[in-house]
Amino acid sequence: MGADGGRSRLGDAAAAFSSNARNPDLRRAQLSFLGAWTAEWAFTVALGIVAYRDGGATALGLVGLLRMVPSAILAPLLSPIADRGRRERVLILVSIVRGIATAAAAVVVAVAGPPVVIYALAVLSTIAATLYRPAHSALLPSLCRTGYELASANMVRGLLDSAATLVGPLLAAVLLQFTGVDVVFAVAAAASFWAAALLVRLRYESPPRPPAPRRANLAREAVDGVRAVTRNRDLTLILGLAAAQALTRGALTVLSVVVAIELLGTGESGVGALMTAVGVGAVLGSLAASLLVGTGRLGTWFAVGVGLWGLPLTLVGLVPQESAALGLLAFVGVGNALIDLAGFTLIGRMAPDEVLARVFGVLEGLVTVFIGIGAIVASSMVEWFGVQTALVTIGLVCPVLAVASWWRLRALDRSVDVLDVEIGLLQRVPMFRTLPLPAVEQLARGLEPVAVAADRVVFTQGDIGDRYYLIESGEADVVGDGRVVATLGPGEGFGEIALLRSTRRTATVVARSDLRLQTLGSDRFLPVVLGYTPSAQQAAAVVEDMLDRYEPKEPFGEPPASS
């Protein structure tokens, strides 16, 4: 059993990677992310060198703050732009702006221009980058067909994120060994342009969206994203735990330095070793997360990931030894990989698609703010109480919150499992099979169960049609003009002709055995099915096929308008 289970998990992991490779649009989106984030890390290294040469550690800290503040403010405010139209266009624009700003920085360095110009370009690049992750996170669900594929996409993106964390600085280090800072900026600019070029050929069905208002009010639209979070307890919980993880992450930027120099006595080089351990753990954790894609317990693994962000810090405070610290901090990277897989997938499935980028924008803003708060809290605690007390106390925040949230996250897992079953039922119908995940999830959330006893009539020929029916179990006879023209079973639907043609029912449907049905009102069925070209075409083909096989002798006109 153990060997079979291991092979099954490995098969699931391989399927997770291959699902991204086989889907050309998903593949381009993921490679674009890799290019964008490799550029970001290489740019950060080069900018740090410029700042340090200009004003030492003080300038380095101020430039970091200068980049962070606009991101924290603008992430929620700019994210509505990605909800207005095709999200890949926002990503292309963002990548081009970042590429131009980075290329300009390369020119300024090459001609020995003033560092303040480079800082201004860094702020511009960061403001543009603020939109990238929310827009990319909101784009991924539209490129997927199932929850499994979305979880796979977030797992692969987490792995690419971890890889970029290592590759970007490593690339910068190699270039600096043989060339200069200007070349690092130039290569980072090329990576940004490559990220944009990959998305130009993206082809997918985007949901219908209302046109942008003539007088755009980004602040008011951003509030809609905040409301979407506050109205959903599960979303509020996920973002709250993400904020706690960000606070610990900010604290780690301070504690890693203090621990290496003061607690472990390994000097400045020890700081790099500790952060490298986190990066290695993130890569290994992303690979391990691929084994969890098919488990369906995303809430559970999210809680584990949050706990792993803090518990190692507490243990380092209790066991201040270099070898132990390196091993323990690797588990922080594992926790980060689990959060990337589970957190982004859960948000992508719980938030409405029309405000999805705004919800991710709220997340980006929270993360940025709490990283800053964490750094301030850590430095204050080290000053007042000492390194070990700070490590133990801050490290307990995430594990305590994860334990307190455990049962709520387990309940969330159960609700997602039920949703997956309903999505599976819908996707057995050809016209729903072509829909992207956000659309079919929208239908699944609108399903209403109905039970019909054997030999009872579901609806009668000539009735006004206001619902679509999907058979969960049992069989039904379709009776037209007094004769049985079809028998339908589980996974088959009926009632679409009246909805799509705006006519009365063209046949009577009778339960041959006890029926368990799932129904969709016309107000939910029509906007989704007709809003996507492939599903609309498939629905029209189904209707034509059914009417070719049977059409009532006396066609019915349009139903009377409701008063």
Side-chain angles (χ1 to χ4, degrees), residues 30 49 66 104 121 134 137 140 153 169 190 198 203 214 249 256 262 286 288 294 364 374 383 417 478 555:
Q30 299 285 39
I49 292 172
L66 189 65
L121 291 168
S137 299
L140 286 184
L198 283 166
R203 298 290 181 268
R214 290 184 179 179
R249 177 178 164 187
S256 60
E262 297 184 15
S286 296
E364 286 292 305
E383 184 71 24
D417 289 342
V478 181

Side-chain angles (χ1 to χ4, degrees), residues 105-433:
V107 173
V108 173
V109 172
V111 299
V116 68
V117 176
I118 298 173
Y119 301 155
L121 291 168
V123 171
L124 175 61
S125 175
T126 303
I127 290 173
T130 295
L131 262 178
Y132 191 93
R133 192 184 286 267
H136 193 274
S137 299
L139 171 66
L140 286 184
S142 294
L143 305 181
C144 299
R145 292 283 182 265
T146 65
Y148 174 85
E149 192 173 22
L150 178 58
S152 301
N154 280 312
M155 179 276 297
V156 170
R157 192 179 73 168
L159 177 61
L160 296 177
D161 195 352
S162 301
T165 304
L166 292 176
V167 172
L170 180 62
L171 177 63
V174 172
L175 291 172
L176 289 169
Q177 185 71 28
F178 299 102
T179 58
V181 174
D182 55 339
V183 176
V184 178
F185 278 133
V187 171
S192 290
F193 290 133
W194 179 64
L198 283 166
L199 297 172
V200 171
R201 296 178 58 196
L202 215 60
R203 298 290 181 268
Y204 69 101
E205 285 293 323
S206 63
R209 303 187 193 279
R214 290 184 179 179
R215 294 184 178 180
N217 189 326
L218 290 177
R220 185 179 302 167
E221 292 179 55
V223 170
D224 292 336
V226 176
R227 286 185 184 140
V229 173
T230 56
R231 289 173 180 171
N232 186 315
R233 288 177 56 197
D234 294 327
L235 270 178
T236 302
L237 176 61
I238 296 295
L239 266 67
L241 291 173
Q245 178 261 342
L247 183 143
T248 308
R249 177 178 164 187
L252 183 60
T253 62
V254 173
L255 293 173
S256 60
V257 177
V258 180
V259 166
I261 296 174
E262 297 184 15
L263 188 61
L264 301 180
T266 55
E268 294 181 354
S269 62
V271 179
L274 291 178
M275 296 312 294
T276 299
V278 175
V280 170
V283 173
L284 295 177
S286 296
L287 292 172
S290 67
L291 302 175
L292 307 176
V293 170
T295 65
R297 294 191 291 270
L298 294 176
T300 301
W301 290 114
F302 183 75
V304 172
V306 171
L308 285 177
W309 251 98
L311 186 58
L313 297 184
T314 296
L315 295 177
V316 169
L318 297 174
V319 187
Q321 298 177 1
E322 183 181 6
S323 58
L326 291 172
L328 287 168
L329 288 184
F331 281 97
V332 172
V334 174
N336 195 66
L338 292 176
I339 289 174
D340 281 347
L341 164 64
F344 282 102
T345 302
L346 288 171
I347 294 171
R349 300 197 64 182
M350 289 187 294
D353 181 73
E354 59 270 19
V355 294
L356 188 53
R358 276 167 276 186
V359 171
F360 281 116
V362 172
L363 173 64
E364 286 292 305
L366 276 175
V367 166
T368 305
V369 168
F370 275 86
I371 286 175
I373 292 174
I376 294 171
V377 168
S379 59
S380 301
M381 289 196 69
V382 168
E383 184 71 24
W384 296 337
F385 306 109
V387 181
Q388 288 181 266
T389 301
L391 281 167
V392 172
T393 305
I394 293 173
L396 285 174
V397 172
C398 279
V400 169
L401 291 177
V403 171
S405 307
W406 180 264
W407 295 111
R408 182 66 193 172
L409 291 170
R410 292 291 294 125
L412 174 59
D413 281 341
R414 289 190 289 272
S415 68
V416 171
D417 289 342
V418 171
L419 185 64
D420 281 338
V421 171
E422 292 173 344
I423 289 172
L425 180 65
L426 284 164
Q427 289 180 329
R428 294 171 69 179
V429 178
M431 65 178 159
F432 299 141
R433 202 174 297 149

